[in-house]
Amino acid sequence: MFLRGFTILFLSCTSIIIHLNFCLSTIPFSLNSLPLAGNFSFDEVTLSHAARDFGNRYQYNPMAVLHPESASDIAATIKHIWLMGPRSQLTVAARGHGHSLQGQAQAHGGVVINMESLKVPEMQVHVGNTPYVSVSGGELWINILHETLKYGLAPRSWTDYLHLTVGGTLSNAGVSGQAFRHGPQISNVHQLEIVTGTGDMVKCSKEQNEDLFHSVLGGLGQFGIITRATILLEPAPDMVKWTRVLYSDFTAFTRDQEQLISEEKSFDYIEGFVIINRTGLLNNWRSSFKPQDPVQASQFNSDGKTLYCLELAKYFTLEEINVVNQEVEKHLSHLNFIPSTLFLTEVTYIDFLDRVHVSEVKLRSKGLWNIQHPWLNLFIPKSNIHHFAQVVFGNILTETSNGPVLIYPLNKSMWDNKTSVVIPEEDIFYLVAFLASAVPSSNGTDGLEHIISQNKRILEYCQRANLGVKQYLPHYMSQEEWRAHFGPQWEAFVQRKCVYDPLAILAPGQRIFQKSIT
């Protein structure tokens, strides 16, 4: 009886395994049978590439990579997986330029959609009283800039790095030094075309399918894939007056930043960054920067203090140069920076916006671009920024030589509270971004383990001190942590998931929801 029972159990398990393997082996065939203009890839090189991102810490190979030509290819693929129901393990992740940090655009054993393959229809610029550009969700912002400049126009809000896709930044928020004035990129979208988790193609805006429109913006890819977006434009300037000044007093630094973002016609871009244990600082500015007083600048000595750099930009056309010079001088005269550290330059608008790409080219040439990037981005309420700075910049963070630490204020009034993105409750809050790069095989302060430990200490302090901090580009490993992140918005977030992606097919790499498999 024992042998008979064991034999039956063995044969049953074998049958299940054979059935599963058969199902898995038929999936590539069923995907390839779909009538698509694009195509699927199943080769190891393509799958391995889709399992890597800028963070370079998580690598989960998909079963297939879709190279769509149109949104219809994406809709047909998701509809096919939706109709397979919960018996299929397939999930779907949209991958843009691969700049995610923690595997958010990966789909282990699922389908990764190469959004940069999406080219139909082409980019279309519309001029008029309310100019806009209609673009693919897989289009890079740098390409949008080049195209719109042909018409003397440009988007109003940017990220610091332009080699990112539209769908990628709109799924998060899209923040840079212009956000205090124009809001994040998700505040500058007129219309979206979405493929939901049931494979439906839907056009949405504030007037049409409003709930889906707001769900997807800042929705971390949970409710649909952005296949097309209409981005608002404004007249583009020719040049940028670019200024950097230093502070040794954090109170003066934040007071000046907050004053500048409250003024209507101060600057068009305002950011700041922290400098700890950096030597030869003034000699390390970009070579194009010139000190206003070279003699004073050469005598500057930081005395080992933590310094805070305020970075300002004023946009102008060639005809406005004299007026702009006067305005910049007037605004600078009201600030409390260290006088000898005033550095200025003038560059073209496109050179300013694409400034990070210059650093990318240099790092790639040295083999230092495709390394691990354990970044941490936080939104911190204004009321607690001084407590945060005192502990983090004073005790936890020992140096900033392995990557910049950005810090600048944002106006909550420029954010739409109907979207899915989570921000602090106060009218002014700060973005603080720890953009560290880990040196391969290092066991020191520039090594991966040290940086991760440092990030953990920062997060633990924020939670312990109850600072009301929210992560930007958030990453959590459990649904309990996600529930805490969303707070009062969690129930609405779950409800939207049930409506637009009921099988939890989309964006599994965010680790918010898990597909139920039977």
Side-chain angles (χ1 to χ4, degrees):
M1 289 180 65
F2 170 77
L3 287 174
R4 185 175 176 224
F6 178 79
T7 303
I8 291 171
L9 179 62
F10 175 77
L11 291 174
S12 298
C13 291
T14 304
S15 174
I16 292 171
I17 292 170
I18 291 172
H19 177 70
L20 284 172
N21 286 337
F22 176 75
C23 289
L24 291 174
S25 65
T26 60
I27 288 173
F29 175 79
S30 71
L31 292 175
N32 270 332
S33 67
L34 294 174
L36 308 179
N39 63 280
F40 285 95
S41 292
F42 302 92
D43 63 278
E44 285 301 317
V45 174
T46 304
L47 300 185
S48 178
H49 176 73
R52 299 181 70 91
D53 60 24
F54 183 69
N56 210 7
R57 292 175 56 202
Y58 296 87
Q59 297 179 20
Y60 298 107
N61 276 28
M63 176 177 287
V65 174
L66 171 65
H67 307 278
E69 284 195 9
S70 68
S72 299
D73 287 354
I74 297 174
T77 300
I78 295 178
K79 178 71 75 175
H80 177 73
I81 295 172
W82 157 253
L83 292 174
M84 292 173 75
R87 64 189 175 88
S88 160
Q89 68 171 353
L90 288 183
T91 54
V92 177
R95 184 182 192 275
H97 205 54
H99 208 76
S100 57
L101 297 170
Q102 321 240 22
Q104 288 94 334
Q106 298 175 21
H108 188 208
V111 176
V112 168
I113 299 176
N114 176 15
M115 295 300 293
E116 289 188 277
S117 296
L118 193 61
K119 300 298 182 185
V120 180
E122 294 181 350
M123 197 185 317
Q124 299 169 346
V125 179
H126 297 260
V127 299
N129 293 331
T130 309
Y132 63 89
V133 59
S134 177
V135 298
S136 153
E139 192 62 79
L140 296 179
W141 286 99
I142 183 64
N143 296 338
I144 296 172
L145 177 61
H146 283 296
E147 184 64 23
T148 56
L149 282 178
K150 296 175 183 177
Y151 301 83
L153 300 167
R156 302 189 288 201
S157 190
W158 298 95
T159 52
D160 285 331
Y161 180 63
L162 302 190
H163 296 251
L164 305 171
T165 58
V166 168
T169 65
L170 296 185
S171 294
N172 289 284
V175 182
S176 185
Q178 303 88 1
F180 78 94
R181 187 177 303 284
H182 296 294
Q185 290 180 320
I186 58 173
S187 294
N188 295 275
V189 180
H190 175 64
Q191 188 181 67
L192 295 171
E193 178 187 78
I194 305 297
V195 176
T196 69
T198 57
D200 297 318
M201 286 179 60
V202 184
K203 286 187 178 180
C204 56
S205 65
K206 290 182 179 179
E207 294 77 32
Q208 178 186 15
N209 299 307
E210 180 189 7
D211 185 65
L212 178 60
F213 179 74
H214 287 120
S215 298
V216 169
L217 294 172
L220 305 176
Q222 294 302 304
F223 313 110
I225 293 176
I226 299 172
T227 54
R228 198 154 190 85
T230 301
I231 311 296
L232 299 175
L233 304 175
E234 67 176 1
D238 300 313
M239 300 290 292
V240 173
K241 191 87 173 179
W242 192 1
T243 304
R244 282 177 174 170
V245 293
L246 291 178
Y247 292 73
S248 58
D249 179 53
F250 186 73
T251 299
F253 171 69
T254 53
R255 185 173 58 237
D256 281 357
Q257 280 191 317
E258 290 163 17
Q259 176 62 33
L260 288 172
I261 70 165
S262 69
E263 295 174 357
E264 291 227 353
K265 295 183 179 180
S266 59
F267 291 89
D268 299 290
Y269 161 99
I270 298 171
E271 286 195 11
F273 51 93
V274 185
I275 303 158
I276 302 174
N277 285 344
R278 297 282 294 275
T279 58
L281 178 67
L282 296 189
N283 294 326
N284 289 332
W285 289 133
R286 290 172 182 270
S287 58
S288 56
F289 274 88
K290 304 297 181 186
Q292 188 180 54
D293 189 329
V295 176
Q296 275 198 41
S298 65
Q299 296 171 349
F300 173 77
N301 190 330
S302 66
D303 296 322
K305 295 178 182 176
T306 295
L307 298 174
Y308 307 94
C309 174
L310 178 58
E311 187 171 40
L312 307 165
K314 184 75 173 175
Y315 305 157
F316 63 95
T317 59
L318 295 176
E319 297 78 21
E320 300 170 319
I321 180 63
N322 292 329
V323 174
V324 165
N325 283 337
Q326 293 172 8
E327 288 181 352
V328 169
E329 188 173 338
K330 181 186 73 172
H331 287 297
L332 289 176
S333 68
H334 297 152
L335 303 181
N336 296 289
F337 56 86
I338 302 169
S340 62
T341 64
L342 174 57
F343 279 64
L344 307 104
T345 190
E346 290 178 10
V347 294
T348 65
Y349 182 58
I350 194 166
D351 282 346
F352 173 73
L353 291 180
D354 200 29
R355 61 198 179 279
V356 177
H357 185 58
V358 176
S359 300
E360 177 189 353
V361 172
K362 291 179 181 178
L363 290 170
R364 282 190 182 279
S365 68
K366 298 176 181 178
L368 295 175
W369 182 257
N370 295 319
I371 59 177
Q372 293 172 311
H373 298 94
W375 288 5
L376 177 64
N377 298 270
L378 304 174
F379 289 141
I380 302 171
K382 169 189 167 182
S383 63
N384 288 321
I385 192 65
H386 288 269
H387 299 297
F388 180 89
Q390 185 177 8
V391 174
V392 175
F393 303 148
N395 297 317
I396 297 177
L397 198 66
T398 57
E399 59 182 309
T400 56
S401 58
N402 61 333
V405 176
L406 305 183
I407 175 170
Y408 55 91
L410 301 162
N411 289 315
K412 186 182 180 184
S413 61
M414 303 308 301
W415 295 62
D416 189 338
N417 61 10
K418 294 181 181 179
T419 65
S420 293
V421 72
V422 178
I423 57 177
E425 290 298 319
E426 296 183 9
D427 291 340
I428 293 177
F429 59 94
Y430 278 77
L431 171 73
V432 180
F434 301 88
L435 309 181
S437 299
V439 175
S441 304
S442 172
N443 295 319
T445 57
D446 54 2
L448 179 65
E449 293 306 315
H450 176 83
I451 298 169
I452 291 176
S453 174
Q454 189 170 262
N455 289 347
K456 185 179 178 182
R457 288 179 63 196
I458 293 170
L459 290 172
E460 287 175 346
Y461 160 68
C462 292
Q463 186 172 15
R464 187 171 63 250
N466 196 27
L467 299 184
V469 170
K470 294 296 182 182
Q471 281 195 41
Y472 176 55
L473 310 176
H475 171 72
Y476 300 102
M477 299 302 290
S478 71
Q479 198 170 84
E480 288 73 25
E481 291 174 307
W482 281 109
R483 182 189 295 270
H485 170 76
F486 283 102
Q489 294 175 238
W490 173 247
E491 295 304 327
F493 196 84
V494 172
Q495 181 60 33
R496 285 171 162 178
K497 185 70 171 179
C498 292
V499 172
Y500 301 117
D501 183 23
L503 288 183
I505 290 172
L506 301 176
Q510 295 284 2
R511 301 177 182 86
I512 306 175
F513 303 100
Q514 186 172 357
K515 184 177 182 182
S516 298
I517 301 171
T518 59

